[in-house]
Amino acid sequence: MTANKFASSPIFYTENKNEIPVSKSNTLIEAGFDLTLAEHDLMTLAINKLHKQGTGGNEVFITAKEFAVANKVSETHAYQQLKQTADTLMTRKLRFPLYVDLDKKRNREPNCVGVVPPEHGRYEIAESKYNWLQGIAYAEASGFVYLHFSDPLHFLIEKTGDSYTNYDFTNTIQMKSFNAKRLYELVCKWKDLGKTKLMYIDEWKEFFGVTDKYPRTAEFKRRILDPSIEAINAQGEFEITLNQEKVGRTITHFQILIKKTKKEKIKETATSKRDPNTVDIFTNITDAQIAKYSTILCKLGSISDLSNFPDYPSFANWIAKILKAPESANPAHAKRIFKALRTETDFKG
DNA sequence: GCGAAACACCTCATGTATAG
DNA sequence: CTATACATGAGGTGTTTCGC
């Protein structure tokens, strides 16, 4: 393992960032798994790094320094955690539903299995269970962990075509339990609707990866749901409450009701007022135009803060990816790049 | 090594079945 | 109809594990 191998994968999480925007596919947000806190943090950072860089590979490395900076912990502690995590992460699995397109299956077409239901509605669900990783290595001397994602995970990160949930990783640092972070991600996904799906107890247990534990619902509620809700409310962005549906005395469903706090609402209106000219609809743009304008855009001062790249060509490459598929990029980045395209170049579209 | 979270075990309350 | 035993779920407390 040499340094050149990671030439396209530079240090991504750096000290001067007050925000760490994270994008995860909704399938991943709602999949069922159980990790330790450190494992989940590492996975979140790695998945996000891979997704944002968009290099199309399924290999990524995270240095102890990156891990320390993102989580605001000491570097020595980050070294220890990465080392421990590398041992256990290989055995971890996650579950999510796969949708078998019955039309395609009947016609014996390839790719009849996907992570989102086909629009025509003729599908069956296959519960699948996969390893997170194909391989992992911890380079003790250099202080980084190298992650090789399994193919299904790579698919979930890069190619779902599914909508993504975005949030700021720094908002989750103060949460010290894995379950709270997972619930926070779910809340972020559903925040605009004001409530999560009404899910059976078993679905909730699946979500937290504790299917075989907590034979008593009361235990599950008290040990998993209540503390997580408390942690999220303490964080200050949302005000969430638990709704439970009962048949007689037996709890059958749970649902999380979500209110944005006043602070958050003010922040949102401020953002939308500050940027009245935001264009929400992205234009069609040809491959030739993408090549031309990405090389122009990468040199603009107004968006230079988006770059973590060592040189202009790799930044231009990143911009080109966003121009090509803005819907699967971080929306804030996409908006800024399209705005710059319209206001600072001769692009007409 | 310390404090907090997770877990296991226990008790209490309430609903249900059965015998008198 | 009522009394009693039994079943199930909610809440309380001591012990272990985990994160830092």
Side-chain angles (χ1 to χ4, degrees), chain A residues 80-97:
Chain A
Q80 287 172 9
Q81 287 218 304
L82 283 190
K83 197 177 173 183
Q84 278 179 17
T85 306
D87 285 337
T88 57
L89 207 48
M90 261 313 276
T91 64
R92 303 297 185 187
K93 294 188 166 47
L94 87 164
R95 305 161 85 89
F96 54 92

PDB file of all heavy atoms in Angstrom, chain A residues 80-97:
ATOM      1  N   GLN A  80      -6.087   5.178  18.748  1.00  0.00           N
ATOM      2  CA  GLN A  80      -6.575   3.995  19.471  1.00  0.00           C
ATOM      3  C   GLN A  80      -7.911   3.515  18.921  1.00  0.00           C
ATOM      4  O   GLN A  80      -8.111   2.323  18.707  1.00  0.00           O
ATOM      5  CB  GLN A  80      -6.750   4.321  20.957  1.00  0.00           C
ATOM      6  CG  GLN A  80      -5.442   4.452  21.708  1.00  0.00           C
ATOM      7  CD  GLN A  80      -5.649   4.974  23.120  1.00  0.00           C
ATOM      8  OE1 GLN A  80      -6.782   5.085  23.580  1.00  0.00           O
ATOM      9  NE2 GLN A  80      -4.562   5.285  23.797  1.00  0.00           N
ATOM     10  N   GLN A  81      -8.805   4.481  18.678  1.00  0.00           N
ATOM     11  CA  GLN A  81     -10.131   4.098  18.213  1.00  0.00           C
ATOM     12  C   GLN A  81     -10.091   3.457  16.835  1.00  0.00           C
ATOM     13  O   GLN A  81     -10.752   2.454  16.601  1.00  0.00           O
ATOM     14  CB  GLN A  81     -11.044   5.322  18.185  1.00  0.00           C
ATOM     15  CG  GLN A  81     -11.445   5.751  19.578  1.00  0.00           C
ATOM     16  CD  GLN A  81     -12.881   6.232  19.609  1.00  0.00           C
ATOM     17  OE1 GLN A  81     -13.237   7.139  18.869  1.00  0.00           O
ATOM     18  NE2 GLN A  81     -13.690   5.624  20.435  1.00  0.00           N
ATOM     19  N   LEU A  82      -9.303   4.045  15.941  1.00  0.00           N
ATOM     20  CA  LEU A  82      -9.218   3.488  14.597  1.00  0.00           C
ATOM     21  C   LEU A  82      -8.684   2.062  14.644  1.00  0.00           C
ATOM     22  O   LEU A  82      -9.161   1.177  13.949  1.00  0.00           O
ATOM     23  CB  LEU A  82      -8.318   4.343  13.709  1.00  0.00           C
ATOM     24  CG  LEU A  82      -8.899   5.639  13.178  1.00  0.00           C
ATOM     25  CD1 LEU A  82      -7.973   6.240  12.137  1.00  0.00           C
ATOM     26  CD2 LEU A  82     -10.265   5.435  12.566  1.00  0.00           C
ATOM     27  N   LYS A  83      -7.706   1.844  15.486  1.00  0.00           N
ATOM     28  CA  LYS A  83      -7.099   0.523  15.588  1.00  0.00           C
ATOM     29  C   LYS A  83      -8.111  -0.507  16.083  1.00  0.00           C
ATOM     30  O   LYS A  83      -8.256  -1.580  15.505  1.00  0.00           O
ATOM     31  CB  LYS A  83      -5.902   0.591  16.553  1.00  0.00           C
ATOM     32  CG  LYS A  83      -4.957  -0.568  16.429  1.00  0.00           C
ATOM     33  CD  LYS A  83      -3.773  -0.375  17.362  1.00  0.00           C
ATOM     34  CE  LYS A  83      -2.899  -1.629  17.359  1.00  0.00           C
ATOM     35  NZ  LYS A  83      -1.788  -1.495  18.310  1.00  0.00           N
ATOM     36  N   GLN A  84      -8.823  -0.147  17.142  1.00  0.00           N
ATOM     37  CA  GLN A  84      -9.848  -1.049  17.678  1.00  0.00           C
ATOM     38  C   GLN A  84     -10.933  -1.310  16.646  1.00  0.00           C
ATOM     39  O   GLN A  84     -11.374  -2.437  16.446  1.00  0.00           O
ATOM     40  CB  GLN A  84     -10.514  -0.428  18.906  1.00  0.00           C
ATOM     41  CG  GLN A  84      -9.735  -0.623  20.183  1.00  0.00           C
ATOM     42  CD  GLN A  84     -10.434   0.029  21.362  1.00  0.00           C
ATOM     43  OE1 GLN A  84     -11.624   0.339  21.275  1.00  0.00           O
ATOM     44  NE2 GLN A  84      -9.711   0.236  22.446  1.00  0.00           N
ATOM     45  N   THR A  85     -11.373  -0.236  15.992  1.00  0.00           N
ATOM     46  CA  THR A  85     -12.473  -0.328  15.056  1.00  0.00           C
ATOM     47  C   THR A  85     -12.118  -1.225  13.879  1.00  0.00           C
ATOM     48  O   THR A  85     -12.950  -1.990  13.398  1.00  0.00           O
ATOM     49  CB  THR A  85     -12.844   1.079  14.556  1.00  0.00           C
ATOM     50  OG1 THR A  85     -13.082   1.895  15.697  1.00  0.00           O
ATOM     51  CG2 THR A  85     -14.074   1.056  13.709  1.00  0.00           C
ATOM     52  N   ALA A  86     -10.885  -1.127  13.420  1.00  0.00           N
ATOM     53  CA  ALA A  86     -10.447  -1.934  12.288  1.00  0.00           C
ATOM     54  C   ALA A  86     -10.606  -3.423  12.586  1.00  0.00           C
ATOM     55  O   ALA A  86     -10.906  -4.218  11.696  1.00  0.00           O
ATOM     56  CB  ALA A  86      -8.988  -1.624  11.946  1.00  0.00           C
ATOM     57  N   ASP A  87     -10.433  -3.807  13.838  1.00  0.00           N
ATOM     58  CA  ASP A  87     -10.581  -5.217  14.203  1.00  0.00           C
ATOM     59  C   ASP A  87     -12.010  -5.710  14.081  1.00  0.00           C
ATOM     60  O   ASP A  87     -12.272  -6.818  13.642  1.00  0.00           O
ATOM     61  CB  ASP A  87     -10.120  -5.444  15.660  1.00  0.00           C
ATOM     62  CG  ASP A  87      -8.608  -5.402  15.758  1.00  0.00           C
ATOM     63  OD1 ASP A  87      -7.957  -5.631  14.728  1.00  0.00           O
ATOM     64  OD2 ASP A  87      -8.099  -5.147  16.864  1.00  0.00           O
ATOM     65  N   THR A  88     -12.950  -4.886  14.505  1.00  0.00           N
ATOM     66  CA  THR A  88     -14.333  -5.360  14.611  1.00  0.00           C
ATOM     67  C   THR A  88     -15.185  -5.084  13.383  1.00  0.00           C
ATOM     68  O   THR A  88     -16.151  -5.784  13.142  1.00  0.00           O
ATOM     69  CB  THR A  88     -15.026  -4.697  15.808  1.00  0.00           C
ATOM     70  OG1 THR A  88     -14.957  -3.272  15.661  1.00  0.00           O
ATOM     71  CG2 THR A  88     -14.360  -5.076  17.114  1.00  0.00           C
ATOM     72  N   LEU A  89     -14.806  -4.091  12.610  1.00  0.00           N
ATOM     73  CA  LEU A  89     -15.692  -3.617  11.551  1.00  0.00           C
ATOM     74  C   LEU A  89     -15.916  -4.651  10.444  1.00  0.00           C
ATOM     75  O   LEU A  89     -16.966  -4.682   9.815  1.00  0.00           O
ATOM     76  CB  LEU A  89     -15.133  -2.322  10.958  1.00  0.00           C
ATOM     77  CG  LEU A  89     -16.117  -1.342  10.340  1.00  0.00           C
ATOM     78  CD1 LEU A  89     -17.307  -1.094  11.239  1.00  0.00           C
ATOM     79  CD2 LEU A  89     -15.413  -0.036  10.056  1.00  0.00           C
ATOM     80  N   MET A  90     -14.935  -5.505  10.228  1.00  0.00           N
ATOM     81  CA  MET A  90     -15.048  -6.513   9.170  1.00  0.00           C
ATOM     82  C   MET A  90     -16.235  -7.442   9.391  1.00  0.00           C
ATOM     83  O   MET A  90     -16.818  -7.958   8.443  1.00  0.00           O
ATOM     84  CB  MET A  90     -13.770  -7.354   9.111  1.00  0.00           C
ATOM     85  CG  MET A  90     -12.799  -6.947   8.042  1.00  0.00           C
ATOM     86  SD  MET A  90     -13.516  -6.684   6.434  1.00  0.00           S
ATOM     87  CE  MET A  90     -13.566  -8.362   5.795  1.00  0.00           C
ATOM     88  N   THR A  91     -16.578  -7.680  10.628  1.00  0.00           N
ATOM     89  CA  THR A  91     -17.643  -8.649  10.915  1.00  0.00           C
ATOM     90  C   THR A  91     -19.038  -8.023  10.896  1.00  0.00           C
ATOM     91  O   THR A  91     -20.025  -8.724  11.019  1.00  0.00           O
ATOM     92  CB  THR A  91     -17.438  -9.278  12.307  1.00  0.00           C
ATOM     93  OG1 THR A  91     -17.569  -8.238  13.293  1.00  0.00           O
ATOM     94  CG2 THR A  91     -16.055  -9.886  12.431  1.00  0.00           C
ATOM     95  N   ARG A  92     -19.105  -6.712  10.752  1.00  0.00           N
ATOM     96  CA  ARG A  92     -20.411  -6.048  10.824  1.00  0.00           C
ATOM     97  C   ARG A  92     -21.227  -6.226   9.548  1.00  0.00           C
ATOM     98  O   ARG A  92     -20.675  -6.230   8.448  1.00  0.00           O
ATOM     99  CB  ARG A  92     -20.225  -4.545  11.090  1.00  0.00           C
ATOM    100  CG  ARG A  92     -19.451  -4.228  12.331  1.00  0.00           C
ATOM    101  CD  ARG A  92     -20.156  -4.718  13.560  1.00  0.00           C
ATOM    102  NE  ARG A  92     -19.426  -4.270  14.753  1.00  0.00           N
ATOM    103  CZ  ARG A  92     -19.725  -4.662  15.985  1.00  0.00           C
ATOM    104  NH1 ARG A  92     -20.713  -5.505  16.202  1.00  0.00           N
ATOM    105  NH2 ARG A  92     -19.021  -4.220  17.002  1.00  0.00           N
ATOM    106  N   LYS A  93     -22.515  -6.322   9.754  1.00  0.00           N
ATOM    107  CA  LYS A  93     -23.420  -6.496   8.620  1.00  0.00           C
ATOM    108  C   LYS A  93     -24.522  -5.458   8.663  1.00  0.00           C
ATOM    109  O   LYS A  93     -24.758  -4.845   9.702  1.00  0.00           O
ATOM    110  CB  LYS A  93     -24.048  -7.881   8.674  1.00  0.00           C
ATOM    111  CG  LYS A  93     -23.056  -9.004   8.467  1.00  0.00           C
ATOM    112  CD  LYS A  93     -23.771 -10.325   8.347  1.00  0.00           C
ATOM    113  CE  LYS A  93     -22.862 -11.409   7.796  1.00  0.00           C
ATOM    114  NZ  LYS A  93     -21.530 -11.478   8.422  1.00  0.00           N
ATOM    115  N   LEU A  94     -25.158  -5.243   7.537  1.00  0.00           N
ATOM    116  CA  LEU A  94     -26.345  -4.394   7.546  1.00  0.00           C
ATOM    117  C   LEU A  94     -27.426  -5.023   6.696  1.00  0.00           C
ATOM    118  O   LEU A  94     -27.159  -5.806   5.799  1.00  0.00           O
ATOM    119  CB  LEU A  94     -26.040  -2.963   7.097  1.00  0.00           C
ATOM    120  CG  LEU A  94     -26.068  -2.623   5.624  1.00  0.00           C
ATOM    121  CD1 LEU A  94     -26.118  -1.117   5.452  1.00  0.00           C
ATOM    122  CD2 LEU A  94     -24.823  -3.155   4.965  1.00  0.00           C
ATOM    123  N   ARG A  95     -28.658  -4.700   7.035  1.00  0.00           N
ATOM    124  CA  ARG A  95     -29.814  -5.267   6.328  1.00  0.00           C
ATOM    125  C   ARG A  95     -30.594  -4.150   5.679  1.00  0.00           C
ATOM    126  O   ARG A  95     -30.743  -3.071   6.268  1.00  0.00           O
ATOM    127  CB  ARG A  95     -30.731  -5.970   7.322  1.00  0.00           C
ATOM    128  CG  ARG A  95     -30.038  -7.003   8.151  1.00  0.00           C
ATOM    129  CD  ARG A  95     -30.852  -7.314   9.388  1.00  0.00           C
ATOM    130  NE  ARG A  95     -31.870  -8.310   9.109  1.00  0.00           N
ATOM    131  CZ  ARG A  95     -31.666  -9.619   9.208  1.00  0.00           C
ATOM    132  NH1 ARG A  95     -30.502 -10.077   9.597  1.00  0.00           N
ATOM    133  NH2 ARG A  95     -32.619 -10.466   8.936  1.00  0.00           N
ATOM    134  N   PHE A  96     -31.049  -4.388   4.488  1.00  0.00           N
ATOM    135  CA  PHE A  96     -31.938  -3.424   3.845  1.00  0.00           C
ATOM    136  C   PHE A  96     -32.770  -4.170   2.808  1.00  0.00           C
ATOM    137  O   PHE A  96     -32.397  -5.250   2.369  1.00  0.00           O
ATOM    138  CB  PHE A  96     -31.137  -2.278   3.208  1.00  0.00           C
ATOM    139  CG  PHE A  96     -30.077  -2.719   2.253  1.00  0.00           C
ATOM    140  CD1 PHE A  96     -30.342  -2.846   0.907  1.00  0.00           C
ATOM    141  CD2 PHE A  96     -28.796  -3.012   2.718  1.00  0.00           C
ATOM    142  CE1 PHE A  96     -29.356  -3.255   0.034  1.00  0.00           C
ATOM    143  CE2 PHE A  96     -27.804  -3.421   1.839  1.00  0.00           C
ATOM    144  CZ  PHE A  96     -28.088  -3.551   0.502  1.00  0.00           C
ATOM    145  N   PRO A  97     -33.914  -3.595   2.436  1.00  0.00           N
ATOM    146  CA  PRO A  97     -34.758  -4.281   1.462  1.00  0.00           C
ATOM    147  C   PRO A  97     -34.270  -4.058   0.040  1.00  0.00           C
ATOM    148  O   PRO A  97     -33.812  -2.968  -0.300  1.00  0.00           O
ATOM    149  CB  PRO A  97     -36.127  -3.622   1.673  1.00  0.00           C
ATOM    150  CG  PRO A  97     -35.826  -2.287   2.231  1.00  0.00           C
ATOM    151  CD  PRO A  97     -34.525  -2.372   2.956  1.00  0.00           C
TER     152      PRO A  97
END
